[in-house]
Amino acid sequence: MVSYNGFEPVIGLEVHAQLQTESKIFCGCRVAYGAPPNSLTCPVCLGLPGALPVLNQTAVDKAVSAILAVGGEVRERSVFARKNYFYPDLPKGYQISQYDLPIGKGGQVSFRLQSGEEKSCRLNRIHLEEDAGKSLHSQGDEAHTRVDLNRCGTPLIEIVTEPDIRTPEEARACLQKLKQILQYLEVCAGDMEKGHLRCDANASVRPVGSDKLGTRTELKNLNSFKGVQKALEYEVNRQIDLLRNGGKVEQVTLLWDENRQVAEPMRTKEESPDYRYFPEPDLPELVLGNRWITAATSATPELPDAKQARFVAQYGVRQYDAEVLCDNRSLADYFEQVVGESVDSRTASNWIQTEVLGSLRERGESIGECKASPLHLGDLLKLVESGKISGKIAKTVFAEMIDTGKSAGEIIDKRGLGQISDEKSLQAEVDRVLAANSANVGKYKAGKPALMGFFVGEIMKATGGRANPSIVNRLLKKALEG
């Protein structure tokens, strides 16, 4: 247990994940990021009189997949409700959500802290709902607010945890694991910068050893892992300072200012009665049979923890390497495709973690955008393994592969980068290097064998790294010790 000056934080998360569907949850409008404002709307998502919602089946499928993946219970019967509140980006004056009968109950998320400690957080519920629009606030002398309703009706699941989290670091790690699971399932793209995944965090503090919950506050719309941790650290310390100085925590909703690193009150915290929930009259109950749940179960892919364990057992990679390779499903698939080209698994792991991911980071690209295909990388690594090119040349070839998408063979042939294994040519280089460095030859013969590396380096430099190192070493040893 981590103690904050005798206090213990109690934290719960409410995570809104945008479902990867082509259309909105109750109408046929396209879901797309970056479209011109108010261009993806229709009478249904604008809430015009007489327009009726029709439930998107794919959204239900993805919600069921998420519930099953975290070990939750898919409710056979669930009900949509109207959540009433008034805001400029909510044209209907209510949001269609689920309240007392959500589609999913229970489950848990297990995660690992940087220290290696294993933790878990229980889930209270997962429910379906539609998103609101977006208010864009300008600054300056002529401050005003524009409203973009493209996001209205975008399908979401809201994942509500139990208050099991005890530190801001745990909150960050839990959210990261949840994002990873949703991405593996292809339920949510998880790009927090685009609003695909948003988090509200509820925080309170209590004296260590107490079972009584303190007054909680809510931090709204946190849109980065770092932001979640920083905002909670700020709020936990604020509440502790307040209580230690005889103050009282007020139940409020707070907005996190990323630039100033402070949380400021937005409004008093609403409770369920404030939203005046009642069943959505225009949608029937959602009833899911066993056949639906069975189909979703059979379609669930191998999840991150299971894949990591398999990589360690099947490929002999270290646990840390398995965690990196399984960070996302596309990267794990890339690794397995490279190994499938008869490449040593540890060699493939090392190359992917250093050369591939390093190059992609420099470009700001994802593995899905990598021009060096698994097939081409596999061919390149087999050329190194067979001794046809050196490791140094391989890195030069890879740099062009990831730029152009060309195969290793094409690049090597075009640039004349094949390894020099002709003994006659290499003998000439050996003779030249030894003649030019007679003083070092004398030192070597006098008992300084480390100079062998110097001679090899000179030959590699002269041949642009193309000389076959095993042949060079043999010829040098023969010339120096023969």
Side-chain angles (χ1 to χ4, degrees):
M1 180 186 297
V2 178
S3 172
Y4 287 71
N5 293 318
F7 285 88
E8 174 189 49
V10 179
I11 297 167
L13 303 178
E14 298 173 12
V15 182
H16 294 83
Q18 179 179 316
L19 301 178
Q20 282 183 263
T21 59
E22 293 184 6
S23 58
K24 296 184 180 181
I25 189 168
F26 298 122
C27 67
C29 288
R30 187 166 58 95
V31 174
Y33 179 81
N38 301 306
S39 63
L40 304 176
T41 59
C42 72
V44 174
C45 50
L46 291 176
L48 299 183
L52 297 176
V54 177
L55 182 59
N56 183 334
Q57 179 177 328
T58 303
V60 177
D61 289 336
K62 291 188 178 290
V64 169
S65 294
I67 296 162
L68 294 172
V70 295
E73 173 198 353
V74 178
R75 302 282 288 271
E76 183 178 331
R77 170 177 167 265
S78 60
V79 173
F80 286 98
R82 289 190 181 183
K83 180 181 180 181
N84 296 274
Y85 63 96
F86 299 94
Y87 207 70
D89 58 20
L90 194 69
K92 295 196 292 274
Y94 63 86
Q95 176 187 27
I96 299 178
S97 181
Q98 292 184 317
Y99 177 50
D100 53 347
L101 291 173
I103 188 172
K105 291 287 288 181
Q108 72 172 23
V109 177
S110 298
F111 53 92
R112 183 182 290 110
L113 303 180
Q114 285 191 335
S115 64
E117 185 180 4
E118 299 280 352
K119 292 280 187 176
S120 65
C121 178
R122 294 171 299 151
L123 301 182
N124 176 282
R125 60 189 279 138
I126 294 178
H127 65 256
L128 279 160
E129 65 182 21
E130 63 178 342
D131 207 348
K134 187 174 183 180
S135 295
L136 307 169
H137 307 289
S138 66
Q139 305 294 324
D141 295 336
E142 299 182 5
H144 55 270
T145 295
R146 292 188 174 95
V147 177
D148 180 4
L149 298 178
N150 280 346
R151 206 169 65 184
C152 278
T154 298
L156 304 175
I157 50 172
E158 182 173 351
I159 303 163
V160 182
T161 78
E162 297 288 0
D164 290 349
I165 297 169
R166 293 295 174 264
T167 70
E169 183 197 357
E170 287 182 25
R172 177 177 183 165
C174 180
L175 184 60
Q176 286 174 319
K177 175 49 72 76
L178 193 53
K179 173 190 171 182
Q180 186 186 44
I181 292 170
L182 295 176
Q183 286 180 319
Y184 259 73
L185 296 168
E186 296 182 345
V187 162
C188 174
D191 190 334
M192 297 183 81
E193 290 185 359
K194 294 181 179 179
H196 295 158
L197 195 70
R198 306 193 298 276
C199 179
D200 301 337
N202 294 291
S204 65
V205 297
R206 64 187 178 190
V208 171
S210 172
D211 293 330
K212 185 179 179 181
L213 294 174
T215 302
R216 65 187 172 94
T217 59
E218 182 181 30
L219 292 151
K220 291 288 287 184
N221 290 334
L222 302 169
N223 59 7
S224 73
F225 298 126
K226 183 179 178 182
V228 168
Q229 185 168 347
K230 289 287 186 183
L232 282 167
E233 286 171 351
Y234 174 91
E235 179 56 16
V236 165
N237 286 317
R238 184 190 73 86
Q239 290 188 23
I240 291 171
D241 288 344
L242 190 62
L243 293 173
R244 287 173 66 87
N245 288 301
K248 182 181 177 183
V249 176
E250 300 291 337
Q251 187 166 327
V252 294
T253 297
L254 303 164
L255 284 181
W256 175 245
D257 188 320
E258 187 68 41
N259 294 324
R260 295 169 51 221
Q261 295 285 290
V262 296
E264 295 181 321
M266 176 185 178
R267 59 176 181 260
T268 57
K269 178 77 178 86
E270 296 97 337
E271 296 291 352
S272 299
D274 297 319
Y275 292 120
R276 295 177 291 116
Y277 283 99
F278 63 87
E280 168 56 61
D282 294 329
L283 285 168
E285 291 183 352
L286 176 59
V287 179
L288 302 178
N290 287 330
R291 184 180 299 177
W292 194 320
I293 297 170
T294 300
T297 303
S298 63
T300 300
E302 186 179 34
L303 293 173
D305 289 348
K307 194 178 287 288
Q308 286 173 25
R310 180 170 65 81
F311 276 22
V312 171
Q314 181 176 343
Y315 299 117
V317 298
R318 297 175 304 168
Q319 176 63 36
Y320 172 81
D321 296 331
E323 289 176 12
V324 173
L325 294 169
C326 297
D327 178 64
N328 64 76
R329 189 172 164 185
S330 297
L331 181 59
D333 290 346
Y334 187 97
F335 166 75
E336 293 210 89
Q337 289 172 45
V338 174
V339 174
E341 295 300 317
S342 301
V343 174
D344 175 73
S345 56
R346 294 191 183 185
T347 300
S349 171
N350 291 338
W351 262 79
I352 289 170
Q353 290 183 69
T354 54
E355 303 305 318
V356 178
L357 293 182
S359 296
L360 292 175
R361 275 193 295 270
E362 289 176 5
R363 298 158 190 272
E365 295 177 350
S366 67
I367 191 68
E369 299 169 296
C370 182
K371 291 181 182 177
S373 71
L375 171 63
H376 288 169
L377 179 59
D379 288 342
L380 177 67
L381 298 183
K382 284 188 287 187
L383 289 172
V384 177
E385 189 177 311
S386 65
K388 292 182 179 178
I389 61 172
S390 67
K392 182 177 179 181
I393 291 296
K395 291 180 181 180
T396 301
V397 173
F398 179 76
E400 186 166 336
M401 282 173 57
I402 204 166
D403 273 339
T404 64
K406 292 181 180 178
S407 69
E410 284 181 272
I411 296 166
I412 290 167
D413 291 343
K414 180 182 176 182
R415 297 180 57 181
L417 295 173
Q419 193 166 69
I420 300 171
S421 296
D422 178 63
E423 290 200 22
K424 187 175 180 180
S425 299
L426 293 178
Q427 184 66 60
E429 287 297 333
V430 168
D431 294 342
R432 184 190 63 78
V433 167
L434 295 181
N437 294 277
S438 55
N440 282 334
V441 170
K443 291 176 183 177
Y444 178 89
K445 291 183 175 181
K448 291 193 174 179
L451 284 167
M452 179 64 80
F454 166 77
F455 298 130
V456 172
E458 290 297 299
I459 293 169
M460 297 304 285
K461 190 188 302 180
T463 59
R466 296 170 57 212
N468 186 312
S470 62
I471 297 176
V472 167
N473 273 277
R474 177 165 55 80
L475 294 176
L476 276 170
K477 193 168 185 180
K478 182 180 178 181
L480 290 166
E481 298 175 7

